[in-house]
Amino acid sequence: GAVVSQHPSWVICKSGTSVKIECRSLDFQATTMFWYRQFPKQSLMLMATSNEGSKATYEQGVEKDKFLINHASLTLSTLTVTSAHPEDSSFYICSAREPSLDQPQHFGDGTRLSIL
Amino acid sequence: AQTVTQSQPEMSVQEAETVTLSCTYDTSESNYYLFWYKQPPSRQMILVIRQEAYKQQNATENRFSVNFQKAAKSFSLKISDSQLGDTAMYFCASVIIQGAQKLVFGQGTRLTINP
């Protein structure tokens, strides 16, 4: 089946640094990828829709300058948390959708981000 | 706008029992799909079952089945012969089959299967 790889799975860094998370579709081309944030014991919250070759579409309330998204190829989208602070600590999950209209999204295994 | 509501924050049953998780949704679109995802402690998102809105027949996948009531906008998940490995968060979700096809998730139900 289709596989989405997300890296790193866990990152700890100091406040003020920038962190990049990668999301790769391994065996299909994904024109659209999605980035979610999940707080403990809560549901997934869509942050942005990443479109290959164009700017990402951010959900209301998500700071585009804080969460930079780049979808430079059909198999890779990246989320960069810029100047990270402790309140950015969370679980981030990506998903990718196959081009066919009725294909489900495939999820990465998530990244646990801890900002000290 | 799409909304998905799960009104049961937590449920707990004994192993081998049958359990039903509730989900209601709202959409003005006619072409949509509904999903149940499982998120175990590892936090992977695992697709359990999918239902196309245009299909009248309820989807089934081994021990998992749904009761899709389109007019009532209800989409419950039944787990038969529950197993310890079924312990997880379960999320109901919907997607409109057009445009960006964003998934909208419910709040989740934490299911615990007791030995």
Side-chain angles (χ1 to χ4, degrees), chain A residues 32 34 36 38-44 46 49 59 91 93 97 101-105 107-109 112, chain B residues 33 35 37 39 42-45 47 50 89 91 97-103 105-108 110:
Chain A
T32 305
F34 303 89
Y36 299 86
Q38 186 180 29
F39 291 105
K41 299 186 178 181
Q42 293 190 23
S43 187
L44 278 71
L46 180 65
T49 302
E59 295 299 304
F91 191 67
I93 309 176
R97 185 171 63 79
L101 200 58
D102 64 348
Q103 291 300 312
Q105 292 183 24
F107 286 85
D109 288 344
R112 184 180 301 177
Chain B
Y33 291 178
F35 305 88
Y37 283 92
Q39 189 180 42
S42 65
R43 303 191 82 170
Q44 284 179 296
M45 291 294 287
L47 177 62
R50 177 176 95 167
M89 282 289 290
F91 293 101
I97 306 301
Q98 69 176 31
Q101 297 188 46
K102 295 189 254 188
L103 270 173
F105 287 92
Q107 302 91 326
R110 181 173 300 278

Side-chain angles (χ1 to χ4, degrees), chain A residues 35-103:
Chain A
W35 288 96
Y36 299 86
R37 185 173 182 175
Q38 186 180 29
F39 291 105
K41 299 186 178 181
Q42 293 190 23
S43 187
L44 278 71
M45 180 191 77
L46 180 65
M47 299 174 65
T49 302
S50 172
N51 303 297
E52 188 269 336
S54 64
K55 291 183 179 180
T57 304
Y58 290 82
E59 295 299 304
Q60 191 172 10
V62 177
E63 299 178 60
K64 57 182 68 177
D65 293 332
K66 160 68 78 175
F67 300 101
L68 299 179
I69 291 172
N70 184 282
H71 194 157
S73 78
L74 286 171
T75 59
L76 174 64
S77 176
T78 60
L79 168 68
T80 301
V81 184
T82 62
S83 187
H85 290 96
E87 58 266 29
D88 298 323
S89 298
S90 191
F91 191 67
Y92 294 87
I93 309 176
C94 74
S95 70
R97 185 171 63 79
E98 296 184 58
S100 298
L101 200 58
D102 64 348
Q103 291 300 312

Side-chain angles (χ1 to χ4, degrees), chain B residues 14-33:
Chain B
Q14 296 298 119
E15 190 176 7
E17 290 184 345
T18 294
V19 60
T20 299
L21 308 184
S22 302
C23 173
T24 58
Y25 64 95
D26 194 17
T27 180
S28 56
E29 302 290 334
S30 59
N31 191 12
Y32 58 91
Y33 291 178

